[in-house]
Amino acid sequence: MTGFIKRLGWYLVGLSIGLLFFVFILKKKSGDKSLEFCYLPNCRVLKELRTKPMELSPELQSQIEKDKDSVIFYSYFGEGNVLFSKSDTKSKPCSFYIIENNKGQLIKATNCPEKVSVSVFTP
């Protein structure tokens, strides 16, 4: 019985060291922020759009200034739903995505290599 307890002890020591390394590597990868794993297409597109500088159309800029609430605008890129059936993801050099927020409003985000142009979507 003492052999089993000894092996169990060594196993737990090794497991705890492995877990410490695992947590250390994940913290380095996430940059000491909360972890965000974007494996689904919707999440990956929104994350890519958030990383680039945004250029707003004049009508969208005036709507944001009128409402005095830019949080609603930025909710598109945090919690929005990309409508891939209405988007053109294959065009070069700039593809565009139609994004819907939780209120059913739509915007068009044109994803170019150096920036993202955002405008109100009119079907």
Side-chain angles (χ1 to χ4, degrees):
M1 189 68 173
T2 59
F4 173 72
I5 294 174
K6 199 178 220 183
R7 283 193 312 244
L8 181 63
W10 283 113
Y11 171 77
L12 292 176
V13 167
L15 181 66
S16 62
I17 291 172
L19 287 175
L20 288 174
F21 280 121
F22 182 69
V23 168
F24 178 73
I25 290 171
L26 283 181
K27 273 196 170 191
K28 282 290 190 184
K29 185 176 181 178
S30 69
D32 293 330
K33 300 181 274 191
S34 63
L35 293 176
E36 181 181 1
F37 295 105
C38 284
Y39 294 117
L40 298 177
N42 189 63
C43 182
R44 291 173 64 180
V45 167
L46 293 176
K47 186 175 181 180
E48 179 186 351
L49 293 175
R50 285 191 304 259
T51 62
K52 297 180 182 177
M54 290 191 191
E55 179 182 280
L56 304 178
S57 69
E59 60 187 13
L60 189 58
Q61 185 69 35
S62 66
Q63 182 180 0
I64 289 173
E65 289 172 1
K66 182 183 78 168
D67 294 341
K68 299 201 187 301
D69 191 10
S70 62
V71 175
I72 293 172
F73 169 72
Y74 289 107
S75 71
Y76 284 101
F77 296 101
E79 304 160 357
N81 183 25
V82 179
L83 303 176
F84 288 102
S85 61
K86 295 182 180 181
S87 302
D88 184 8
T89 61
K90 304 262 190 252
S91 62
K92 297 289 179 190
C94 299
S95 57
F96 74 86
Y97 298 96
I98 306 301
I99 304 170
E100 179 182 30
N101 70 357
N102 54 2
K103 296 180 182 178
Q105 300 166 329
L106 301 173
I107 61 169
K108 178 182 177 181
T110 304
N111 186 17
C112 294
E114 66 280 350
K115 67 179 178 179
V116 175
S117 301
V118 184
S119 61
V120 177
F121 178 67
T122 53

